[in-house]
Amino acid sequence: MDFPNRIKMEFRIVLSVMLILSCRNLHSQNKPTFTQHVLRLEGDVQDAVCQDLNGDLAEDILVLHNRSRFPEPYAERYLSVFLQKNGLWNERPTQTLHLDHDEIVFDIGNTDGDSICDLFFLKADGVYARKWTTDHYDTALQCILKTPSIFSAPDPNKLCRYTFAQDIDGDAVSELVLPQTHTLCIYAKDSQGTYVLSKSLWISPDIELNTSENLVFSFRLPSFQLKDFNADKTPDLLLLSQDRLDVYIQHENHEGPRNPSSLIPPDLRYRMGARNIHPTALEPLAPTATILETCDLNRDGYVDVLLSKASRAGFTANISQIQIYLNKNGRFDFLPDQILTVENFGSEHVIKDFNGDGLLDLALLTFRIGFAQAAKFFITKKASNAYEFFLMRADNTYAKKPDGKIAFSRAVRIQDIFGSSLCQSFDGDFNGDGFHDFLMGTDTNTISIFPGHPGGFFDSKTVFRISAPLSNRILVKDFNGDGRSDMLLWYPENPNLSKQILIFLSEIGASR
């Protein structure tokens, strides 16, 4: 090699090293710090929802909580509103609604087509609403629809959210989707502003009778989704029930008037349980955990299906599979387009575009254990987990082996060893660099944040740590609109923390 070329090569090497070091310095300068805020409530927090309720483009917080009054058999149920002002919330709620004992489920929707949210409550005889007036919600309930449903009685101790108020036709006004025994009734507003029956979908619910001692009747509601199945720019109605997918195609222009009470059968039905490829011999002893999900994996406008079948029969070694069905012009093949086999996989996974190429990737949570790892776990009470990343390629396939991996250890109870109660999130960008970060609770009172980088994976060397009690009830979002993600946690299973909500707002400051 001649002298000038050697000088050029050495200069390039030095420049590359300087660029890497400058990126690391810039990355360390963007290390976030967090300011803790506490929201205090009466009684135990059951659930929290973050949404702009009053239309001011700021995230508000809606909290469900209850308070027991021993020896009374019923708990006092409340719904509290924390309105955001100047990027902060008051320690005490802006408004607290004392709920009756006959509300069964609730939802958030819109009855007027404006930017302000209404609160919907389903009772045994119909649907009621509380509307926003100036700076608070009406304390009185307004009946908007009289109709029975499959919901017959409330839980005396808590109120749950069920998404029955959804905008199906795209007019910004919520339709009401209420299940009957074998019918899913959809109610829409008519020209007079009254909710009337619009269509009736024929469904096949999962019903089980248990006669071991007392007769028990179990009714499993299907999951209702609005997604474009056939890429015609009109959202279709999808019903997921365990391993079955029913598709009701919506057409922009109906051929003619239809009797709204006449039952509409599904246009397509896929029984994914029949696609049981290579089952394990131990499945009769411990059936597989099956999860059916719909998403547009390759972003071609068609809804695809991902079916995960995780064998829980073996503890130290088990092989599970992810079956991928790509939608081809509104149809699925009987056999999957691809099967990913993973060892020691308990079905916990994340579907997300990790590398920013527009295609959806997979992150599978694995847990490997042997005698040495088991002994270490019983001594340290920590488990070693890893997320294995499979990136979708340009040919709409995933590699058979993971493209990347991030390993971590975390404090865990033996019953949660497969990750069913992880304190985790892939949704945040806490340092505002434009890349998603990975949040994981790694110790009893430590949250670790692994920063993301352009390759689509996460840096396990430069870790941000926060001292905070862990909970699997966590929301990650940019609450105050500063371009950096924040986090909200609540603790229904911790008596010492169950009466409060912790908010951690991210700030960019010097490294600590």
Side-chain angles (χ1 to χ4, degrees):
M1 181 182 295
D2 58 359
F3 186 75
N5 289 334
R6 182 177 179 182
I7 293 294
K8 291 180 181 179
M9 181 174 289
E10 291 179 354
F11 176 75
R12 290 174 182 172
I13 294 175
V14 173
L15 184 62
S16 299
V17 172
M18 292 178 62
L19 181 61
I20 293 173
L21 291 177
S22 64
C23 290
R24 288 187 176 179
N25 290 335
L26 178 62
H27 189 79
S28 63
Q29 289 174 3
N30 287 339
K31 181 176 181 179
T33 59
F34 291 85
T35 303
Q36 177 178 316
H37 302 267
V38 181
L39 307 184
R40 304 188 185 279
L41 299 110
E42 293 186 13
D44 300 322
V45 176
Q46 297 296 322
D47 199 3
V49 180
C50 294
Q51 191 167 331
D52 177 16
L53 299 175
N54 57 355
D56 62 354
L57 303 180
E59 295 288 334
D60 306 308
I61 300 175
L62 190 67
V63 183
L64 290 168
H65 54 111
N66 58 38
R67 181 175 60 183
S68 299
R69 292 181 177 274
F70 185 82
E72 296 181 9
Y74 295 98
E76 296 291 333
R77 305 185 302 173
Y78 302 94
L79 194 153
S80 289
V81 177
F82 292 84
L83 295 180
Q84 183 182 163
K85 293 183 179 179
N86 301 321
L88 296 174
W89 303 264
N90 290 329
E91 183 177 338
R92 296 296 178 179
T94 309
Q95 181 185 12
T96 296
L97 297 170
H98 187 190
L99 305 178
D100 297 330
H101 289 296
D102 53 353
E103 293 107 335
I104 304 174
V105 293
F106 94 102
D107 198 12
I108 301 174
N110 197 304
T111 60
D112 306 315
D114 55 12
S115 59
I116 299 177
C117 295
D118 302 311
L119 303 180
F120 293 85
F121 298 88
L122 179 62
K123 297 187 178 184
D125 62 344
V127 180
Y128 296 76
R130 282 187 170 96
K131 295 188 176 183
W132 183 266
T133 58
T134 310
D135 59 353
H136 66 279
Y137 282 103
D138 285 337
T139 56
L141 286 170
Q142 175 185 346
C143 181
I144 60 175
L145 176 65
K146 283 285 189 178
T147 183
S149 67
I150 194 64
F151 297 96
S152 58
D155 186 327
N157 295 314
K158 63 179 179 180
L159 180 68
C160 297
R161 183 178 182 182
Y162 174 69
T163 54
F164 63 90
Q166 298 195 39
D167 181 14
I168 295 177
D169 54 11
D171 61 352
V173 176
S174 299
E175 279 74 42
L176 304 178
V177 184
L178 302 178
Q180 304 282 356
T181 305
H182 287 85
T183 308
L184 194 67
C185 298
I186 300 177
Y187 299 86
K189 273 193 169 184
D190 60 9
S191 58
Q192 306 298 322
T194 303
Y195 277 99
V196 296
L197 182 63
S198 173
K199 61 180 66 176
S200 303
L201 306 182
W202 178 75
I203 61 175
S204 301
D206 297 316
I207 299 176
E208 181 180 353
L209 286 176
N210 188 340
T211 58
S212 57
E213 294 181 1
N214 297 327
L215 185 64
V216 177
F217 177 78
S218 175
F219 185 95
R220 184 188 297 271
L221 292 174
S223 173
F224 179 82
Q225 298 179 357
L226 274 174
K227 294 182 179 179
D228 189 357
F229 186 81
N230 55 357
D232 63 352
K233 308 300 181 183
T234 301
D236 305 303
L237 311 179
L238 308 182
L239 290 182
L240 284 73
S241 182
Q242 290 188 321
D243 59 0
R244 186 179 68 247
L245 171 64
D246 289 339
V247 181
Y248 301 83
I249 302 296
Q250 286 200 121
H251 303 282
E252 186 175 358
N253 297 318
H254 297 286
E255 297 178 356
R258 178 194 294 268
N259 184 358
S261 61
S262 61
L263 293 180
I264 302 174
D267 296 280
L268 298 169
R269 167 168 286 185
Y270 293 95
R271 296 182 180 274
M272 312 307 292
R275 297 157 165 80
N276 196 6
I277 301 174
H278 304 306
T280 64
L282 297 179
E283 277 193 21
L285 300 177
T288 58
T290 302
I291 299 177
L292 180 65
E293 295 172 278
T294 61
C295 52
D296 186 3
L297 293 172
N298 54 3
R299 300 296 176 89
D300 62 351
Y302 293 93
V303 172
D304 308 309
V305 164
L306 188 145
L307 179 69
S308 62
K309 299 176 70 65
S311 174
R312 297 185 184 272
F315 180 71
T316 58
N318 61 73
I319 298 178
S320 303
Q321 57 183 246
I322 300 288
Q323 299 180 16
I324 300 167
Y325 297 84
L326 297 180
N327 192 325
K328 301 178 179 64
N329 299 319
R331 293 291 189 277
F332 293 118
D333 293 335
F334 182 79
L335 296 178
D337 296 90
Q338 187 177 1
I339 301 176
L340 297 178
T341 57
V342 188
E343 293 185 1
N344 303 300
F345 169 62
S347 77
E348 290 82 9
H349 61 278
V350 177
I351 306 173
K352 199 175 187 64
D353 180 12
F354 291 107
N355 58 353
D357 63 352
L359 306 176
L360 295 186
D361 312 308
L362 303 177
L364 310 181
L365 180 67
T366 59
F367 175 79
R368 188 179 300 276
I369 189 170
F371 290 107
Q373 292 89 343
K376 183 178 179 181
F377 167 75
F378 285 110
I379 294 174
T380 64
K381 296 298 186 292
K382 286 190 175 183
S384 297
N385 287 95
Y387 266 107
E388 297 183 353
F389 297 91
F390 296 81
L391 304 181
M392 176 168 274
R393 299 176 293 190
D395 60 353
N396 296 338
T397 63
Y398 297 94
K400 294 182 180 180
K401 294 183 178 180
D403 299 283
K405 179 179 179 179
I406 183 170
F408 53 91
S409 61
R410 58 190 177 91
V412 65
R413 299 176 300 177
I414 185 66
Q415 60 266 35
D416 299 329
I417 204 164
F418 277 104
S420 59
S421 62
L422 284 176
C423 176
Q424 69 167 15
S425 174
F426 284 94
D427 297 327
D429 175 15
F430 297 96
N431 55 3
D433 61 358
F435 304 112
H436 289 287
D437 304 321
F438 170 41
L439 178 150
M440 168 59 62
T442 53
D443 209 338
T444 306
N445 290 288
T446 303
I447 294 177
S448 299
I449 297 176
F450 302 83
H453 56 75
F457 306 118
F458 304 91
D459 189 355
S460 59
K461 297 180 179 179
T462 307
V463 182
F464 315 140
R465 290 185 173 85
I466 311 162
S467 296
L470 304 188
S471 174
N472 62 331
R473 309 296 183 90
I474 180 171
L475 291 176
V476 173
K477 201 173 185 180
D478 181 6
F479 297 123
N480 53 7
D482 62 356
R484 297 182 298 271
S485 298
D486 313 297
M487 69 185 78
L488 180 150
L489 301 98
W490 66 99
Y491 307 85
E493 298 178 359
N494 188 335
N496 298 323
L497 299 173
S498 62
K499 295 177 175 59
Q500 64 186 28
I501 288 178
L502 298 185
I503 301 176
F504 294 87
L505 298 180
S506 62
E507 299 176 354
I508 298 299
S511 301
R512 293 188 298 181

